[in-house]
């Protein structure tokens, strides 16, 4: 009964009785079905079938659900997307000639737009915390082409003027605890997470002082290394390296049934009605997708150098000059250029960064293999983390906005992702709750 190629002897058509008994719906050649409704079934451990024949481009009826021949990898999912990697905007994404299994009626289809550390971590949290849902990450840029890949990855959060301090501390602590658990596990190297000791020549005690490990004032002997400073702080924190951590998150997402699609989204309404809820993690893209004038770029230029003898982290009080050793290189920084969209490295800025860092750590004069990197931090006065119900005529599209972390993307990502997942759960619950009927 599971094999739907069984034909009616008289008509040559699929046996409807057997098809109904097995719970499968066969689309005939020429019918159209939304791509994402089909792909969503992958998240429910359902099989996807119907690879096109090489010559004719028609459904291969000998590869039906139940044959254990489905295309299940994320790479294949990327390859079958009809507009994969393109930039053409459409209002209804569709694909022909697919066989699909009926999904449970209460399964909520969720799309996360953006594949940086915020988008991927949000998708992972949703897959774990929101019951009976499917999750698909959609972006035109993936690692190693994201801002998260350029970030130094230090868990030292910025201060958001429009966000209460207690909320910022909660986000940072949840992120620190999450990464600390990884750092003490067998996955630490694969995830690119490590504990490091560092010092900051500054006097102000930050709000996160009791979250990091061993926060204290520097001793007089320690300060002798920084003769231009009279006060300093020392503590142990975490470093999370984007080029390793993002693929680790992708692996976790795929392991929980999530999908990843390469696609440029020009308008959130493109995702309707293929998805029930959209999570906007598009960073600077929210200027267009959400019409948010508050978000702007803060350009950051850094140097990645080879200096394996540098073991400790140093950052000056302003945070503009820093030395962050990692697993494979040392990151030297940096810049904060508000409103600058230029992604090309500036040679003069690079010289200034190297000069300032050598003043803090003279041994860096011997650094080699110097590479320049530029990233644009998606900055706003406070992280936007809220629900919005978009309306267009009779259509409704619930959206959860989650962007605007600035330089704190990695330092805050897990805490804000958990909160975003809770908002998504509220939206999903609302969709499952029947609307009250009017009594006339």
């Amino acid at each position: 009964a599971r094999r739907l190629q069984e034909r009616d002897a008289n008509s040559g058509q699929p046996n409807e009785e057997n098809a109904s008994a097995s719970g499968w719906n066969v689309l005939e050649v020429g019918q159209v079905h939304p791509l994402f409704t089909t792909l969503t079934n992958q998240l429910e451990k359902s099989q996807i079938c119907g690879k096109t024949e090489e010559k004719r481009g028609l459904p291969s009826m000998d590869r039906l659900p139940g044959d254990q021949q489905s295309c299940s990898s994320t790479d294949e999912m990327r390859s079958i997307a009809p507009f994969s990697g393109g930039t053409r905007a459409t209002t209804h994404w569709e694909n022909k000639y697919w066989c699909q299994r009926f999904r449970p009626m209460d399964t909520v289809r969720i799309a996360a737009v953006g594949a940086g550390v915020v988008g991927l971590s949000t998708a992972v949290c949703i897959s774990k915390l929101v019951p009976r849902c499917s999750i698909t990450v959609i972006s035109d840029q993936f690692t190693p082409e994201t801002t998260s890949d350029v970030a130094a990855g230090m868990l030292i959060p910025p201060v958001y003027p429009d966000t209460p301090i207690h909320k910022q501390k909660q986000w940072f602590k949840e992120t620190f605890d999450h990464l600390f658990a990884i750092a003490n596990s067998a996955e630490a190297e694969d995830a690119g997470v490590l504990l490091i000791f560092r010092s900051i020549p500054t006097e102000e005690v930050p709000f996160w002082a009791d979250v990091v490990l061993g926060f204290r004032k520097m001793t007089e002997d320690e300060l002798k290394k920084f003769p231009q400073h009279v006060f300093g702080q020392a503590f142990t924190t975490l470093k999370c390296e984007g080029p390793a951590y993002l693929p680790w998150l992708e692996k976790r997402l795929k392991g929980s049934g999530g999908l990843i699609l390469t696609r440029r989204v020009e308008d959130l309404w493109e995702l309707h009605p293929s998805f029930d809820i959209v999570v906007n993690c598009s960073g600077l893209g929210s200027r267009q997708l959400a019409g948010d004038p508050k978000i702007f770029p803060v350009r950051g230029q850094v140097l990645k150098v080879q200096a394996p003898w540098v073991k400790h982290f140093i950052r000056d009080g302003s945070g503009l000059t820093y030395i962050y050793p990692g697993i494979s290189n040392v990151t030297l920084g940096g810049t904060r250029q508000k409103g600058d969209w230029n992604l090309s490295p500036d040679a003069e800025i690079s010289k200034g960064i190297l000069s300032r860092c050598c003043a803090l750590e003279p041994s860096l004069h011997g650094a080699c293999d110097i590479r320049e990197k530029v990233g644009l931090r998606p900055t706003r006065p406070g992280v936007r983390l809220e629900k919005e119900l978009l309306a267009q005529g009779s259509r409704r599209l619930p959206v959860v906005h989650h962007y605007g972390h600035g330089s704190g993307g990695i330092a805050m990502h897990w805490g804000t992702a958990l909160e975003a997942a809770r908002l998504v759960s509220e939206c999903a619950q609302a969709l499952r709750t029947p609307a009250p009927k009017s009594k006339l």
Side-chain angles (χ1 to χ4, degrees):
R2 290 179 61 85
R3 296 186 56 83
L4 300 185
Q5 70 266 44
E6 193 170 329
R7 307 285 178 146
D8 184 277
N10 297 324
S11 65
Q13 298 299 318
N15 187 307
E16 295 182 2
E17 180 180 355
N18 287 342
S20 176
S22 62
W24 292 86
N25 176 32
V26 177
L27 299 181
E28 295 179 327
V29 174
Q31 284 185 285
V32 176
H33 199 284
L35 168 65
F36 290 101
T37 300
T38 300
L39 297 186
T40 294
N41 295 313
Q42 181 68 18
L43 304 178
E44 302 156 21
K45 307 302 183 184
S46 298
Q47 301 294 328
I48 293 178
C49 70
K51 269 195 167 181
T52 55
E53 293 177 346
E54 292 183 2
K55 295 182 179 180
R56 300 178 59 193
L58 297 177
S60 175
M61 295 303 293
D62 63 342
R63 296 195 59 180
L64 293 170
D67 289 342
Q68 304 300 321
Q69 295 177 332
S70 64
C71 48
S72 60
S73 72
T74 297
D75 290 338
E76 286 192 72
M77 290 302 142
R78 287 179 179 173
S79 68
I80 61 178
F83 312 123
S84 179
T87 59
R88 180 170 67 87
T90 63
T91 57
H92 185 64
W93 297 357
E94 56 192 19
N95 190 33
K96 296 182 180 180
Y97 321 130
W98 282 92
C99 302
Q100 75 142 28
R101 192 170 190 172
F102 287 115
R103 66 183 180 88
M105 292 300 293
D106 64 346
T107 297
V108 177
R109 302 162 299 175
I110 303 167
V113 180
V117 69
V118 173
L120 290 176
S121 60
T122 301
V124 171
C125 287
I126 289 172
S127 70
K128 294 183 177 299
L129 299 178
V130 181
R132 303 190 307 281
C133 80
S134 65
I135 179 68
T136 303
V137 173
I138 305 171
S139 180
D140 63 336
Q141 289 187 324
F142 291 85
T143 183
E145 304 300 328
T146 73
T147 298
S148 302
D149 290 284
V150 179
M154 291 297 304
L155 260 71
I156 301 174
V159 176
Y160 302 113
D162 287 1
T163 304
I165 289 296
H166 73 87
K167 178 62 68 174
Q168 297 184 53
K169 186 172 181 179
Q170 174 191 329
W171 293 340
F172 179 61
K173 187 178 188 310
E174 289 172 340
T175 304
F176 192 94
D177 291 345
H178 162 68
L179 292 177
F180 186 72
I182 296 174
N184 287 284
S185 73
E187 296 187 66
E189 185 174 355
D190 288 342
V193 180
L194 64 155
L195 275 169
I196 49 87
F197 174 82
R198 58 178 314 233
S199 54
I200 300 181
T202 185
E203 188 169 0
E204 181 181 355
V205 177
F207 71 84
W208 42 263
D210 59 345
V211 177
V212 297
L213 307 178
F215 187 92
R216 61 176 176 79
K217 293 181 180 180
M218 294 175 65
T219 66
E220 291 185 6
D221 287 341
E222 288 173 326
L223 280 171
K224 290 179 180 178
K225 183 177 177 61
F226 311 102
Q228 66 273 42
H229 297 281
V230 297
F231 190 90
Q233 299 162 347
F235 57 91
T236 298
T237 188
L238 291 154
K239 187 175 191 293
C240 177
E241 302 194 339
Y245 186 60
L246 266 58
W248 184 84
L249 284 174
E250 284 192 16
K251 183 178 178 181
R252 292 283 295 271
L253 178 62
K254 290 185 285 185
S256 62
L259 292 178
I260 297 176
L261 295 177
T262 303
R263 162 80 188 200
R264 182 175 179 84
V265 178
E266 302 283 356
D267 189 322
L268 294 181
W269 279 108
E270 293 176 26
L271 306 177
H272 183 278
S274 297
F275 293 96
D276 303 306
I277 301 172
V278 173
V279 189
N280 174 27
C281 304
S282 62
L284 287 171
S286 295
R287 287 178 66 90
Q288 174 183 338
L289 293 180
D292 187 351
K294 291 184 178 180
I295 191 164
F296 59 93
V298 174
R299 184 180 183 274
Q301 181 167 324
V302 299
L303 304 179
K304 304 285 186 176
V305 307
Q306 291 298 314
W309 59 86
V310 177
K311 303 297 183 183
H312 297 294
F313 293 69
I314 307 170
R315 183 174 105 158
D316 70 3
S318 68
L320 275 176
T321 303
Y322 50 82
I323 302 166
Y324 296 151
I327 295 174
S328 58
N329 54 47
V330 179
T331 301
L332 309 181
T335 65
R336 291 194 199 117
Q337 297 164 275
K338 294 182 179 180
D340 192 335
W341 291 85
N342 185 14
L343 284 169
S344 299
D346 186 305
E348 290 301 315
I349 289 177
S350 294
K351 291 179 182 178
I353 291 173
L354 185 59
S355 176
R356 298 198 314 268
C357 289
C358 285
L360 284 178
E361 179 54 67
S363 68
L364 286 172
H365 284 292
C368 61
D369 190 19
I370 299 175
R371 289 171 293 152
E372 301 169 300
K373 298 287 184 179
V374 177
L376 304 179
R377 307 176 182 98
T379 307
R380 66 195 308 277
V383 175
R384 188 179 185 191
L385 192 48
E386 62 183 1
K387 295 181 291 184
E388 180 183 14
L389 183 62
L390 300 184
Q392 197 174 79
S394 62
R395 301 191 301 168
R396 299 291 185 270
L397 180 61
V399 175
V400 173
H401 296 288
H402 182 204
Y403 63 86
H405 295 65
S407 61
I410 289 180
M412 298 289 204
H413 77 279
W414 196 256
T416 58
L418 290 172
E419 186 163 332
R422 288 190 284 268
L423 295 178
V424 170
S425 183
E426 293 173 8
C427 292
Q429 184 61 36
L431 289 175
R432 294 188 177 110
T433 303
K437 296 182 179 179
S438 62
K439 297 181 180 180
L440 299 178

